[in-house]
Amino acid sequence: MKKYEEEKYRFENIKPLIYPWVREDLRDISEKDAPIVSFINDLRIIFVIKRNEDVFEVLMDDMLPPDCNVEELYYASCENLVRDVEFVIANTWYGGFAILADGWHEASSLCFKHIWQVCVDKLEDDLVIMAPTRETVLFAPASQKTAVGKMVEHGEQSFEQAKDRDKISKRLMLFSKDRKELSVYEGEG
């Protein structure tokens, strides 16, 4: 019996439990053994199956039927996230903002263009974004250099204090209000 034929892995049973997770380092995951979507800044999206309240299993290729389309899997996982996780925007002490969710999926907010579009519309500025850990996503208006600098300090500290399995990246991203897209942050100029 193939793994995807087992009751525990039947696609119709796991599909509503699959979520996208953003990662840079694919610790213990081989790109040839797992469905992975390339993202931005060397970030990639892996997929996890929620098994219990705080137990997630990385989705591997052998758990999926041969005809499974990774792009469709991505959209289905994002729909699950929208259905099950509430993302809240909080103020930071230094004039930036943070995305709050459930402690597992904050970094997954990077998948949702509409979150960032609402923020640029409200702030009327581009956003510099950082996702140092799975539970820490920070952003600040690009024109507020002091806030961006403090955000970077906050993000680097979060990265250094996190367990290896929870670290994502110290690299910065930009959501442009004009281009309406997430891209690599090039700094000033």
Side-chain angles (χ1 to χ4, degrees):
M1 176 184 282
K2 303 278 188 195
K3 199 164 201 167
Y4 60 83
E5 295 171 330
E6 296 174 27
E7 191 66 26
K8 180 178 176 177
Y9 295 108
R10 283 192 193 278
F11 193 64
E12 60 270 12
N13 294 341
I14 65 171
K15 185 177 178 186
L17 305 172
I18 297 173
Y19 300 97
W21 275 6
V22 176
R23 292 287 180 265
E24 184 175 67
D25 182 3
L26 297 177
R27 298 165 194 78
D28 303 324
I29 302 170
S30 169
E31 289 193 53
K32 62 182 186 217
D33 296 329
I36 295 172
V37 176
S38 292
F39 200 50
I40 184 174
N41 262 354
D42 295 327
L43 296 178
R44 289 161 284 187
I45 296 170
I46 64 169
F47 301 95
V48 295
I49 306 165
K50 184 173 186 174
R51 293 298 185 187
N52 289 312
E53 191 59 36
D54 290 327
V55 177
F56 295 87
E57 179 180 5
V58 174
L59 183 66
M60 305 302 282
D61 283 336
D62 64 354
M63 299 173 190
L64 295 169
D67 61 345
C68 186
N69 178 303
V70 175
E71 186 174 339
E72 290 173 14
L73 179 66
Y74 172 73
Y75 289 117
S77 70
C78 287
E79 288 174 12
N80 294 342
L81 202 57
V82 167
R83 179 193 67 218
D84 297 337
V85 177
E86 180 181 4
F87 294 97
V88 177
I89 298 168
N91 293 313
T92 64
W93 62 269
Y94 49 80
F97 302 89
I99 299 287
L100 305 177
D102 60 1
W104 289 99
H105 297 98
E106 281 79 355
S108 300
S109 66
L110 294 173
C111 298
F112 297 119
K113 180 178 177 179
H114 69 275
I115 290 175
W116 307 110
Q117 189 60 54
V118 166
C119 293
V120 296
D121 290 347
K122 185 143 180 101
L123 296 170
E124 298 179 350
D125 199 349
D126 294 342
L127 304 176
V128 178
I129 304 168
M130 186 177 195
T133 71
R134 72 169 162 80
E135 75 276 358
T136 308
V137 174
L138 306 168
F139 65 97
S143 65
Q144 295 182 17
K145 301 304 179 197
T146 302
V148 170
K150 297 276 187 197
M151 177 198 75
V152 169
E153 288 175 23
H154 178 184
E156 288 177 350
Q157 185 177 41
S158 295
F159 184 87
E160 296 307 325
Q161 293 174 352
K163 296 175 185 164
D164 280 346
R165 64 182 166 83
D166 295 334
K167 290 181 179 184
I168 296 184
S169 178
K170 293 194 281 184
R171 297 181 191 202
L172 302 177
M173 294 161 274
L174 178 80
F175 189 89
S176 167
K177 68 181 177 116
D178 296 331
R179 291 191 317 271
K180 301 177 191 249
E181 67 182 13
L182 192 63
S183 61
V184 173
Y185 180 64
E186 303 291 345
E188 297 199 46

